[in-house]
Amino acid sequence: MIVVATLILGLRLYTRSCIQKIRLGAEDWTILVAWLFTLAFAVDLCLQVQHGLGLHESDLAAGTDISVSLQLFFFKQFIYYIAIGATKISILLLYIRLFPQPTWKAVFWVLIWFVALTEVSCTLAGIFQCNPIEKAWYTDLPGTCLDQTALFVANAGLHIFQDIVIYLIPVPLLWNIHRSLKQRISIITVFAIGGFVCITGILRLHTLYLACITGDPTWNNASPLIWSYIETFSFPVCTVCHRVDAIVEDDQGDRK
């Protein structure tokens, strides 16, 4: 997925800067941020594997320090929130450029702030989920922690809701462009490929819930981390959206 996503992003930037000869926009720079944090997510995941991720705790080699894996899992949360948030903001910035009508611009800006505040609140809740903070990975330390199941499920639910809104809201706008029925259906179909991220979010929520209610963290954390990883690499949908870019702008030119 790293190779595919990086290739698609590279083609997108090459097309815009070298073929179309246009400057990179805010949505391009934002998706670059998402890409960088997604790479960091991949590195974190590989390091967790080196410290037992994917194995039953009873099968770990003697002397394996499980707290290292839990600490990497702790830092993974912030990387995930930034990567997902930057991706959604990039898509919404693209919407603003494609649909510059004042009403829709206001709607998209509200969604941008909603996404940004969600990621900030999720990050802060993740950092301070335990008191002291170190108890998140040194589980034997005295102290208290938030209900992790409630915290993770609430965060995942918010992200799924945002995904559904972001991927459904442009459908009526695309449907009303002055093009043939066949073109409109094909445009919406291409765009709807991004709905895959909604499916990954739901699957991630299910595996996350199962991981929270059972023990054996090195084994149970593997499935939600895999789906989180797939979800973060769903950002090429923002590139797919550029497939309809020219058609939408041509339509707006015809209207003028």
Side-chain angles (χ1 to χ4, degrees):
M1 294 195 69
I2 292 177
V3 174
V4 173
T6 302
L7 177 63
I8 292 175
L9 178 60
L11 290 173
R12 164 182 166 171
L13 298 179
Y14 173 77
T15 300
R16 289 177 65 78
S17 60
C18 299
I19 297 178
Q20 293 178 307
K21 304 293 184 181
I22 58 178
R23 297 176 62 180
L24 298 182
E27 69 271 21
D28 299 307
W29 293 111
T30 310
I31 207 65
L32 276 171
V33 172
W35 176 71
L36 289 172
F37 276 90
T38 303
L39 290 181
F41 188 112
V43 172
D44 185 284
L45 188 61
C46 292
L47 291 174
Q48 286 190 65
V49 171
Q50 292 181 7
H51 291 87
L53 181 67
L55 296 176
H56 289 289
E57 192 171 351
S58 59
D59 294 332
L60 296 177
T64 300
D65 187 357
I66 192 175
S67 65
V68 177
S69 180
L70 293 177
Q71 188 173 20
L72 289 166
F73 181 83
F74 176 82
F75 287 110
K76 180 276 316 176
Q77 297 174 54
F78 320 136
I79 298 171
Y80 168 81
Y81 294 141
I82 295 174
I84 289 293
T87 300
K88 295 175 182 178
I89 290 173
S90 177
I91 295 172
L92 290 167
L93 289 171
L94 174 64
Y95 290 174
I96 290 175
R97 185 165 63 81
L98 294 181
F99 308 105
Q101 296 86 346
T103 301
W104 284 112
K105 285 181 69 174
V107 170
F108 296 142
W109 275 114
V110 168
L111 288 174
I112 286 173
W113 279 106
F114 177 38
V115 170
L117 292 174
T118 297
E119 303 314 323
V120 170
S121 62
C122 288
T123 299
L124 291 176
I127 293 173
F128 300 106
Q129 61 186 277
C130 290
N131 182 24
I133 294 175
E134 293 84 355
K135 185 173 172 57
W137 56 89
Y138 293 128
T139 55
D140 294 333
L141 281 178
T144 58
C145 291
L146 297 174
D147 184 342
Q148 279 197 335
T149 303
L151 177 63
F152 292 158
V153 170
N155 291 347
L158 271 174
H159 288 134
I160 292 170
F161 172 74
Q162 290 173 352
D163 292 341
I164 293 172
V165 171
I166 289 172
Y167 289 115
L168 287 183
I169 199 169
V171 170
L173 297 173
L174 293 172
W175 184 255
N176 291 325
I177 65 174
H178 291 177
R179 289 295 180 266
S180 67
L181 176 63
K182 182 178 179 180
Q183 276 189 309
R184 284 181 288 164
I185 292 175
S186 64
I187 290 171
I188 293 175
T189 301
V190 169
F191 189 86
I193 294 173
F196 174 70
V197 71
C198 301
I199 299 174
T200 61
I202 294 171
L203 292 171
R204 173 180 175 270
L205 174 60
H206 176 67
T207 57
L208 192 60
Y209 175 75
L210 294 178
C212 288
I213 63 174
T214 58
D216 205 355
T218 53
W219 173 263
N220 292 324
N221 285 344
S223 292
L225 281 172
I226 288 171
W227 284 111
S228 298
Y229 179 77
I230 293 173
E231 185 182 13
T232 56
F233 264 111
S234 66
F235 76 77
V237 66
C238 194
T239 304
V240 174
C241 291
H242 280 280
R243 176 66 182 84
V244 303
D245 193 334
I247 297 177
V248 174
E249 290 184 344
D250 287 347
D251 176 70
Q252 292 174 352
D254 292 346
R255 289 172 186 251
K256 292 178 182 180

